Amino acid sequence: MSFETISVVGLGYIGLPTAAMFASRKKKVIGVDVNQHAVDTINRGEIHIVEPDLDMLVSAAVQQGYLKAVINPEPADAFLIAVPTPFLPIENEGDIPKPDLRYIEAASKAVAPVLKKGDLVILESTSPVGATEQMADWLSEARPDLTFPQTHGESADINISHCPERVLPGHVVTELVQNDRVIGGMSKRCSERSVELYKTFVMGECVITNARTAEMAKLTENSSRDVQIAFANELSIICDELDINVWELISLANRHPRVNILQPGPGVGGHCIAVDPWFIVSKTPDKAKLIHTAREVNDSKPYWVFEKVRGMVTEFLEQNTNKSEKDITIACYGLSFKPDIDDLRESPALEIAKQISSNHEGPVIAIEPNIDELDVGNIELVSLDSSLTRADIHVLLVDHSQFKKIRLNADFIIDSKGIWI
Ligand code: SAJ
């Protein structure tokens, strides 16, 4: 049976581009979101998130009548669940963060009433191992009149798979089409139907496995990156103590044909790499030692940078005995979680700027070329030219392309990305 109508539940950074992509291939797409503002914005042909080229895709899809957004699910042939999987609130400091599956549960319960025999349900949200089976149980509890793969295998009425998204923010539109796709069906038939669905727009290979392996594959990709960045961050701290330029060191080591070290920075931000490894650690806490340590190394890096700034304030005062801390202006260059984006959520740079602002007695200014306003503590958003003349201490936190174009000649610089030293 082919897929005439496709429903995407959760119209965020993954769901909306995916919905628009199916619509661009002339499929009827029903996007579902609990956020009325998002629904209204999309139905006007506009977007509520920042992602290159997505505005044109959504505008065309809505105008041509292939995409509409609604609050409550409607019948469709396939349902893709792309809702957030954050952490549960941490009760005690040092506790291992645990995944919060409430959005998947809510989406399953919302979709269940409109399911019919022959439908395909795909979990796209990054999830701990076992979440797809859990989703299948929620669906089957809500619809005892239908059969599901956990009890009926190949002959089930409803097919269920986990097909994790793996696209890089800022490159979503191209990566959705070009990346290979991991397809983890709960049965062979679930996988085959999922491949058929994704082949609507995916040019990369759709590689079949089971649901648990697909869940672990996504977590492994992001954990691998986290562990590698932790190695670079640990090296940067070691090199600082040994008076070695870590960026020169890494570029030398990377000349070895089998070495490829990533870049140190102020810490790891975003909603994926700093979160997903915990899904492995919380499931197997006694076994996931390296992954756990990498998280701790990366999470502690912003505080290390902050301590370096405090040390530089002391040094400045030792060299300028006529001044007090109140006279020192500190400039933070970059606040987003990675270069050339406007996303400040889960940003180590923003965390460092906040720490500086709440501990420093003098003015704190920030230069963030990708945003127009800032409402954080008493940090003043200024232009690059203004900061270059006003600041006494320059703290580079994000390697935005605008910052790479200049050479800063100043006595007091902390460069967490190695572009000015
Ligand atoms: N970072 C470093 N050093 C590096 C590379 C990155 O400190 O050498 C930092 C960045 O500054 C940022 C953080 O790591 O704070 C994460 O940035 P990122 O570009 O590595 O990744 P994300 O979070 O934007 O997207 C990742 C991608 N995963 C992998 O590359 C394995 C993407 O493909 C996933 O789809 C996405 O997570 C996701 O949604 O899970």
Side-chain angles (χ1 to χ4, degrees):
M1 207 162 59
S2 72
F3 300 99
E4 298 301 329
T5 306
I6 299 159
S7 180
V8 179
V9 183
L11 297 172
Y13 279 87
I14 301 302
L16 182 56
T18 306
M21 205 53 86
F22 279 115
S24 74
R25 301 300 192 269
K26 310 218 176 302
K27 293 283 179 190
K28 188 177 167 222
V29 181
I30 304 169
V32 183
D33 203 290
V34 291
N35 177 346
Q36 187 69 54
H37 167 70
V39 166
D40 294 342
T41 308
I42 294 162
N43 284 334
R44 284 198 306 273
E46 295 164 11
I47 59 176
H48 60 296
I49 54 177
V50 177
E51 181 60 42
D53 300 332
L54 182 62
D55 50 350
M56 290 180 314
L57 269 182
V58 170
S59 158
V62 173
Q63 240 173 44
Q64 292 164 15
Y66 288 109
L67 172 64
K68 71 167 182 179
V70 296
I71 292 275
N72 296 311
E74 296 177 10
D77 305 315
F79 294 84
L80 287 91
I81 314 281
V83 294
T85 38
F87 299 142
L88 286 168
I90 293 173
E91 281 165 20
N92 305 301
E93 205 180 317
D95 281 358
I96 294 171
K98 296 201 168 47
D100 180 355
L101 301 187
R102 276 177 294 182
Y103 295 101
I104 299 180
E105 183 176 7
S108 310
K109 289 180 177 165
V111 156
V114 297
L115 282 184
K116 60 183 185 314
K117 191 172 175 182
D119 284 355
L120 171 66
V121 183
I122 296 180
L123 179 62
E124 279 214 5
S125 314
T126 303
S127 301
V129 172
T132 310
E133 291 158 358
Q134 172 67 77
M135 181 182 82
D137 287 343
W138 281 320
L139 291 172
S140 103
E141 279 161 26
R143 290 298 301 270
D145 54 317
L146 293 168
T147 59
F148 289 82
Q150 62 271 39
T151 48
H152 288 70
E154 302 292 329
S155 63
D157 293 337
I158 304 295
N159 293 301
I160 297 180
S161 300
H162 179 61
C163 306
E165 60 80 15
R166 318 155 93 184
V167 287
L168 194 67
H171 302 258
V172 169
V173 172
T174 42
E175 289 208 355
L176 268 179
V177 176
Q178 281 163 12
N179 288 3
D180 290 347
R181 193 100 207 187
V182 175
I183 308 284
M186 286 183 70
S187 71
K188 189 163 163 274
R189 183 165 155 68
C190 297
S191 297
E192 285 166 359
R193 294 212 68 217
S194 305
V195 172
E196 187 193 333
L197 177 68
Y198 283 107
K199 275 295 168 195
T200 309
F201 66 81
V202 172
M203 311 280 287
E205 201 179 326
C206 291
V207 190
I208 289 179
T209 179
N210 57 48
R212 290 174 77 85
T213 310
E215 288 161 344
M216 190 64 179
K218 171 62 197 251
L219 302 180
T220 299
E221 290 158 16
N222 281 354
S223 299
S224 148
R225 197 153 167 85
D226 198 43
V227 170
Q228 291 179 54
I229 298 170
F231 180 67
N233 277 333
E234 185 164 290
L235 274 181
S236 73
I237 294 169
I238 294 169
C239 285
D240 184 69
E241 194 153 313
L242 300 180
D243 200 16
I244 289 169
N245 179 323
V246 70
W247 286 277
E248 183 193 0
L249 172 85
I250 289 174
S251 77
L252 292 174
N254 281 351
R255 284 172 180 265
H256 186 287
R258 284 173 297 283
V259 173
N260 188 11
I261 303 168
L262 290 179
Q263 298 301 305
V268 168
H271 337 291
C272 311
I273 294 194
V275 174
D276 302 353
W278 288 120
F279 292 1
I280 299 179
V281 177
S282 66
K283 206 79 180 177
T284 51
D286 301 336
K287 305 286 182 295
K289 295 192 181 105
L290 182 63
I291 298 171
H292 191 164
T293 304
R295 273 290 64 247
E296 288 174 340
V297 169
N298 287 334
D299 271 354
S300 64
K301 191 72 194 290
Y303 303 100
W304 185 84
V305 175
F306 168 67
E307 289 302 333
K308 296 300 288 180
V309 175
R310 293 304 301 160
M312 192 156 275
V313 169
T314 308
E315 208 180 305
F316 186 95
L317 290 173
E318 281 165 7
Q319 290 183 30
N320 296 273
T321 45
N322 59 332
K323 293 206 169 172
S324 71
E325 191 176 325
K326 283 200 296 301
D327 306 319
I328 302 175
T329 298
I330 302 180
C332 298
Y333 295 81
L335 297 173
S336 57
F337 88 82
K338 65 179 193 175
D340 301 328
I341 60 165
D342 66 341
D343 195 343
L344 305 193
R345 294 172 301 161
E346 323 297 336
S347 166
L350 184 63
E351 179 59 36
I352 294 165
K354 280 182 183 167
Q355 289 274 334
I356 296 172
S357 134
S358 52
N359 286 279
H360 182 57
E361 290 173 19
V364 178
I365 57 181
I367 309 86
E368 179 40 82
N370 302 299
I371 60 170
D372 299 324
E373 51 187 46
L374 179 71
D375 185 16
V376 175
N378 49 2
I379 306 174
E380 186 193 348
L381 194 63
V382 303
S383 70
L384 182 54
D385 284 347
S386 158
S387 79
L388 295 178
T389 50
R390 274 175 68 185
D392 300 297
I393 296 179
H394 304 264
V395 185
L396 189 283
L397 296 173
V398 186
D399 46 342
H400 286 312
S401 25
Q402 289 92 337
F403 303 154
K404 286 190 191 158
K405 284 188 197 134
I406 60 165
R407 278 227 62 80
L408 186 61
N409 255 329
D411 293 335
F412 294 92
I413 302 177
I414 289 185
D415 183 352
S416 72
K417 290 303 297 182
I419 63 172
W420 287 342
I421 51 169

